[in-house]
Each structure stands twice: as structure tokens, then as C-alpha cells.
Amino acid sequence: MRVNGKFIYLKKINIKDAYFVFKLRNKKKISLFLHKPPKSILAQKKWIINNIQDDKTLDFIICRKKNNKKIGTIAFDRINKNNAEWGRWISQGNIFENIESVLVLLKYGFNKLKLKNIYSLTNRDNIKVINFHKNTSALYKGVKKGCFTINNKKKDAIKYDFNKNRFNQFNKKLNSMIVSIQL
């Protein structure tokens, strides 16, 4: 499965992506905000296999369109008839690729999966991603205490929520900018 944007595309994760995901999740700057990454590539492969088989999860690799280079991950989790959580967003592209990866995922969720609500839970310490959410039309839904355990410490999550109308506002605002950009 491939979901296209202008600068990036999302491809459904597969076992061949284990080395890339393992290296990405184990980068020191990135792993500060994540659940403990797998200790080996074999453990990463097992995690991918479990997620592929889970119908409530849909993981993607973010790829740069012009050279097919893998630049990140993004996913839906806890998918049900009306709702899903989006997350596992790690993107090392430029600002346009990073933003577009979110637009493409959310568009897929609302238009193809027919979701009514898509929310995110972000580690309170991840200021860059919190600021990203603040600059979208997502609705702030508060703090979820002790949501994550990171480095053996409980961490709060900040919840943001998109319905289709809020997403369309965000998409309209940013898509017009993306359309005019030439990389």
C-alpha cells in the first residue's frame, strides 16, 4: 500500500524496514521522548510482525518521493470504527516533508478509513511536537497524567484532537503552501 503526497509518500511498514526503524528509534535525541526502543533488530522485526497482524494498528514508513529514501515513521493505533490515535511520528525530512506526512496520514484516516475523530497523545516534554500541534487547528483536550513510561519514569501526555472539519481547516491552510513550494 502506498499513499502519495507531493514530496513524500507513505508505504505500509514491512519486515524489511526493521533495520531502518531500529536505527531511527535508537537515536539519542529521538529516544528521549519514546517508549523504550527494542534492544535488537530481531526484537524490532518481532514488533513489526505483531503490528502488521494487528487490525487496530497501521504503521507507515515516510519516504521522500524524489529518491525513495526512507525518512521516518508515522502510524495509526487503537483504530476502531470511528476513531484512531495517530503517532509514532518520527520524521527526519525537511519541514515541508514532515508536515506533509501528517497531512497525508490524516487525509487517509478521514477519507479512506472513514474515521470521525483522530487524536494524538504527545509526551509533555516533546516541546517541538507540542508546538506543532498548537499551530494546527487540532483541539487541545488536556493532559493525561502518567500516560507514558519513559526511562522508568511516568510522563504526562498532551492530547490533541482532529475531527474532519478541523482537519480540513489545517489541510486547506497548509496544502496551499505545499502546492506552491518547489524543492
Side-chain angles (χ1 to χ4, degrees), residues 38-168:
K39 292 198 179 292
S40 68
I41 294 171
L42 180 60
Q44 186 67 64
K45 284 180 180 179
K46 288 179 182 176
W47 184 89
I48 289 172
I49 289 166
N50 287 338
N51 276 20
I52 289 170
Q53 294 171 351
D54 183 349
D55 63 351
K56 298 196 180 319
T57 298
L58 185 54
D59 284 88
F60 292 99
I61 299 296
I62 305 166
C63 299
R64 184 173 285 136
K65 235 178 172 176
K66 70 179 176 185
N67 61 9
N68 296 317
K69 181 179 178 188
K70 297 174 187 178
I71 60 171
T73 63
I74 197 165
F76 283 124
D77 204 9
R78 296 176 181 85
I79 301 169
N80 65 40
K81 184 177 167 187
N82 294 312
N83 306 302
E85 176 185 350
W86 77 271
R88 292 198 277 280
W89 183 40
I90 306 169
S91 188
Q92 298 183 303
N94 63 47
I95 190 160
F96 303 109
E97 293 165 333
N98 297 343
I99 292 170
E100 189 180 39
S101 69
V102 175
L103 289 174
V104 170
L105 181 79
L106 295 178
K107 185 183 286 185
Y108 182 82
F110 286 117
N111 295 340
K112 296 293 185 195
L113 300 178
K114 304 295 185 200
L115 298 171
K116 303 214 181 321
N117 186 61
I118 301 172
Y119 65 93
S120 65
L121 294 169
T122 303
N123 181 332
R124 179 180 231 155
D125 297 336
N126 195 343
I127 302 303
K128 279 185 176 181
V129 175
I130 299 295
N131 285 336
F132 169 80
H133 288 298
K134 287 179 181 177
N135 288 300
T136 71
S137 56
L139 182 62
Y140 172 76
K141 298 295 270 188
V143 177
K144 190 171 179 183
K145 296 281 186 188
C147 184
F148 304 119
T149 302
I150 304 201
N151 296 322
N152 298 317
K153 294 179 183 169
K154 288 287 187 188
K155 296 287 183 173
D156 297 343
I158 307 297
K159 185 174 183 179
Y160 282 90
D161 193 271
F162 276 106
N163 61 26
K164 191 160 186 177
N165 286 338
R166 286 184 173 278
F167 166 71
N168 286 338

